[in-house]
Amino acid sequence: LFFSIGIFLNCKTPRKFQKIQPIVPERASLYIIRSLQNPLSLWSYNVEIFQYKNHYKNDPAPMLFKVIRMSNGDFGAFYLPEGFYKIRIKEFQDSERILHFKKNSENFLHFYIFASSYSKAEVFLKDITKESALEYLLEDIHLNNVESSVD
């Protein structure tokens, strides 16, 4: 009985997407979107965000900034200082992207899994437009906000 009550109390309703938040001066906004899709949809993956102190070519060891556990139909939204960032899916080492986020900018990444019966699954972190991001964020009565510094 206590176990059932504990599980019930720990279950919380995920926050759904409502709107894209306004730009914050001197910050870049980043939305990472894992849209609803069939391939490997049962598994959750860790999205790692690393921040470089300087230019990525001069900094061989960026600092881990944030880890987000993302399931199918989730998104995360963050305000970040301007700079270079490495973003990757921990379980897929070849998914790494190095990006430069400028202050006062909006950035949208689509976390996409491609799987076929002929090859192993491949993961992509693809830049998308604000319009495409909104289409994904609003699908299936809004995606779930897994973690955010943008509220």
Side-chain angles (χ1 to χ4, degrees), residues 64-97:
L64 183 62
F65 181 77
K66 179 70 80 177
V67 177
I68 314 157
R69 185 89 177 152
M70 294 189 83
S71 298
N72 203 30
D74 286 343
F75 79 96
F78 306 94
Y79 287 127
L80 304 171
E82 180 175 25
F84 286 93
Y85 291 84
K86 176 170 69 172
I87 302 174
R88 72 174 182 203
I89 312 307
K90 183 177 183 179
E91 294 81 3
F92 293 87
Q93 295 299 317
D94 59 346
S95 66
E96 182 175 296
R97 293 278 312 271

Side-chain angles (χ1 to χ4, degrees), residues 29-105:
S29 63
L30 171 65
Y31 286 77
I32 302 174
I33 301 162
R34 183 172 176 201
S35 61
L36 295 167
Q37 52 183 313
N38 289 331
L40 303 176
S41 62
L42 297 178
W43 289 275
S44 295
Y45 299 98
N46 292 304
V47 177
E48 297 177 322
I49 303 172
F50 295 87
Q51 183 178 23
Y52 290 94
K53 292 178 188 171
N54 301 302
H55 194 281
Y56 70 94
K57 290 182 179 180
N58 302 328
D59 187 359
M63 181 180 69
L64 183 62
F65 181 77
K66 179 70 80 177
V67 177
I68 314 157
R69 185 89 177 152
M70 294 189 83
S71 298
N72 203 30
D74 286 343
F75 79 96
F78 306 94
Y79 287 127
L80 304 171
E82 180 175 25
F84 286 93
Y85 291 84
K86 176 170 69 172
I87 302 174
R88 72 174 182 203
I89 312 307
K90 183 177 183 179
E91 294 81 3
F92 293 87
Q93 295 299 317
D94 59 346
S95 66
E96 182 175 296
R97 293 278 312 271
I98 296 176
L99 301 162
H100 182 254
F101 298 127
K102 296 180 180 178
K103 57 185 170 184
N104 306 321
S105 67

Side-chain angles (χ1 to χ4, degrees), residues 17-22 29 31 106 108 130 133-134 137 150:
F17 174 76
Q18 297 298 317
K19 65 179 181 174
I20 290 182
Q21 298 299 317
S29 63
Y31 286 77
E106 291 179 311
F108 304 93
K130 185 176 186 175
L134 281 168
L137 290 165
V150 174

